[in-house]
Amino acid sequence: MEKKGFRNLRVVAKVKESAIITSFYLEPENAQDWRAFNPGQFLVFRVPVTNQGGTQNDYVLRNYSVSNSPNTKGQYRITVKREAAPIAGLPDGVSSCFLHDVVDVGHTLVAEGPRGEFVLDAASSRPVVLLSGGVGLTPMVSMLHSLASMSDRRAFFIHACENGDVHALRDEVLDLVATRPGLSAHYCYRLPTEQDRAEQHFHSEGFVSREILQSLLPIDDYEFYLCGPPPFMQAVYGILRSLGVQKQHIAYEFFGPATVLEPDSVPVQATSRPPERIDPSSDATIVEFRKSGVKAAWDDKSESLLAFAEAHGLSPEFSCRAGICGTCKSHLIDGEVAYFEEPLDDLKPGEVLLCCSKPLGPVILEI
Ligand SMILES: Cc1cc2nc3c(=O)[nH]c(=O)nc-3n(C[C@H](O)[C@H](O)[C@H](O)COP(=O)(O)OP(=O)(O)OC[C@H]3O[C@@H](n4cnc5c(N)ncnc54)[C@H](O)[C@@H]3O)c2cc1C
């Protein structure tokens, strides 16, 4: 039976990977709590939050991709970027700064998972392109470990970041691609330092462009995996599509609220859609999105309330689409919903997760 639930993971090593990125090596406190992972999956952490008086009064849930080899039994590695406040006066990132500044070897973290559908298709034999920006390289490094242990599948690891100061796991990736023929790495620095130039840390300068991809990738039928900040994802996805790559060959993961990358599937704004006519005599289940002014008859083919909202022109924030992250949380003004995927976290009365629920009758949602 699949093991589920939060359990304690002990930090057995903490390694600084770059000026802003640090890895944490984690082992279950109880050996039977080990759960194997597929390369690309993440763990969900319960990170304590301290209030102004300095006492711990709550926690937040945050996801971190497992960045080590899935063949390393009994140990996870997560690799975390310290998300400092973007401008003075705003708070630093709760979880990443707690991990960087407070957590050390011997500390216990509480985590669920591994979870996630963004995983390497190990059954395929097609060549793979792993494309990452910034800390988005973490799932890719795990996938590269897996690919390196295969006999002959070709793989290209393409990574974009600012410069060598913030570049994590550079040597690990170079060591991996050197293990056998058919693997290669390309580093693209936006603003290389003098040292980067002197030590030839990078292969191209600026942004990952159409020209770079065309020069690196001989014509073939690749599977692409993408992870990075939204502007990187938008740009690279657009380039791949313009090069004729079919969307089913591009898998991607966002580290924050996700957005739809395919331009023709971006939902129209609620205001630009004519209101749906509802036959008052029908026994349809009516779903009302109060703030958006949208009322529509529930469609049983809808995967979830989130998908239904999107199909009616709304763009609620979402991330995991699996009841984990809470990004799609909304307020239920009236009615009842049923969960087809149990939310990972407890919900307060009146709260609803749109991504994993369906209406049990007429419902009114705040959005
Ligand atoms: C599937 C998945 C996998 C992930 N894997 C990784 C991974 O491998 N490595 C990794 O580093 N991250 C990863 N993430 C991201 C990670 O989950 C966290 O989102 C990230 O660490 C930031 O969380 P935080 O609590 O530190 O920051 P938060 O507290 O959520 O804040 C985020 C940023 O907003 C700023 N901020 C705070 N308040 C305000 C305000 N009022 N106005 C404007 N800005 C504000 C903060 O200073 C910070 O810079 C992943 C996310 C997902 C969804």
Side-chain angles (χ1 to χ4, degrees):
M1 206 177 78
E2 197 195 346
K3 291 190 206 161
K4 279 196 164 174
F6 284 88
R7 80 288 204 196
N8 290 346
L9 301 179
R10 188 176 295 281
V11 179
V12 296
K14 179 178 178 182
V15 177
K16 196 170 166 68
E17 308 284 6
S18 80
I20 51 167
I21 296 179
T22 292
S23 286
F24 299 83
Y25 290 76
L26 312 169
E27 291 178 3
E29 272 184 357
N30 297 317
Q32 68 268 28
D33 283 337
W34 169 253
R35 295 167 207 163
F37 62 95
N38 288 316
Q41 286 193 303
F42 58 88
L43 297 167
V44 187
F45 288 82
R46 243 183 209 161
V47 181
V49 180
T50 39
N51 63 19
Q52 290 196 327
T55 51
Q56 186 192 319
N57 64 344
D58 209 350
Y59 62 83
V60 292
L61 291 178
R62 291 288 186 273
N63 304 333
Y64 292 102
S65 305
V66 185
S67 64
N68 59 338
S69 166
N71 300 329
T72 316
K73 301 281 179 273
Q75 192 176 77
Y76 304 109
R77 178 182 67 183
I78 57 164
T79 303
V80 179
K81 177 182 171 202
R82 191 179 186 281
E83 299 285 356
I87 50 168
L90 289 177
D92 282 337
V94 175
S95 159
S96 60
C97 294
F98 171 79
L99 289 165
H100 274 250
D101 305 345
V102 179
V103 170
D104 218 327
V105 174
H107 207 107
T108 296
L109 298 173
V110 181
E112 216 275 349
R115 286 176 172 245
E117 306 297 322
F118 179 70
V119 291
L120 180 71
D121 179 358
S124 164
S125 55
R126 301 219 318 243
V128 181
V129 183
L130 306 172
L131 264 157
S132 60
V135 78
L137 90 173
T138 53
M140 309 303 183
V141 173
S142 184
M143 291 185 194
L144 185 64
H145 273 279
S146 191
L147 287 157
S149 68
M150 294 175 186
S151 59
D152 56 359
R153 194 167 172 196
R154 281 187 302 130
F156 299 79
F157 187 99
I158 302 173
H159 179 62
C161 64
E162 286 294 285
N163 54 43
D165 292 347
V166 295
H167 186 173
L169 307 173
R170 181 179 60 208
D171 294 341
E172 179 170 322
V173 167
L174 293 179
D175 289 348
L176 279 171
V177 299
T179 54
R180 67 164 174 86
L183 304 175
S184 65
H186 179 95
Y187 297 149
C188 179
Y189 285 1
R190 195 170 75 90
L191 294 168
T193 62
E194 285 313 312
Q195 192 186 353
D196 292 332
R197 290 187 197 287
E199 297 178 10
Q200 298 186 329
H201 281 161
F202 61 103
H203 306 94
S204 62
E205 192 170 339
F207 293 108
V208 172
S209 63
R210 187 186 167 95
E211 291 68 37
I212 289 177
L213 292 181
Q214 277 177 315
S215 71
L216 290 175
L217 305 173
I219 290 175
D220 208 334
D221 202 8
Y222 299 99
E223 277 169 11
F224 289 87
Y225 292 83
L226 258 62
C227 186
F232 167 88
M233 303 273 274
Q234 298 276 8
V236 174
Y237 187 88
I239 295 171
L240 295 179
R241 294 289 284 129
S242 75
L243 288 171
V245 179
Q246 291 175 17
K247 54 186 172 188
Q248 63 269 29
H249 293 158
I250 312 174
Y252 56 85
E253 175 115 287
F254 281 94
F255 276 4
T259 177
V260 180
L261 289 176
E262 189 63 24
D264 55 7
S265 61
V266 172
V268 290
Q269 288 306 304
T271 47
S272 67
R273 194 183 165 97
E276 186 171 322
R277 261 177 234 266
I278 298 169
D279 174 3
S281 62
S282 85
D283 55 2
T285 296
I286 305 304
V287 178
E288 178 178 347
F289 299 106
R290 177 74 42 99
K291 275 193 187 154
S292 317
V294 173
K295 256 190 203 185
W298 171 253
D299 175 358
D300 277 333
K301 286 195 233 75
S302 269
E303 187 190 304
S304 64
L305 275 165
L306 176 61
F308 185 75
E310 288 168 340
H312 287 81
L314 279 71
S315 316
E317 282 206 334
F318 66 86
S319 181
C320 68
R321 293 186 96 97
I324 307 165
C325 66
T327 308
C328 65
K329 197 181 285 172
S330 178
H331 186 66
L332 185 65
I333 297 174
D334 198 22
E336 260 188 276
V337 300
Y339 288 99
F340 52 88
E341 183 80 52
E342 209 41 49
L344 184 59
D345 207 9
D346 294 337
L347 293 167
K348 298 197 184 84
E351 285 179 348
V352 58
L353 287 193
L354 301 175
C355 72
C356 53
S357 62
K358 293 182 177 184
L360 269 180
V363 289
I364 304 176
L365 291 146
E366 192 180 35
I367 52 168

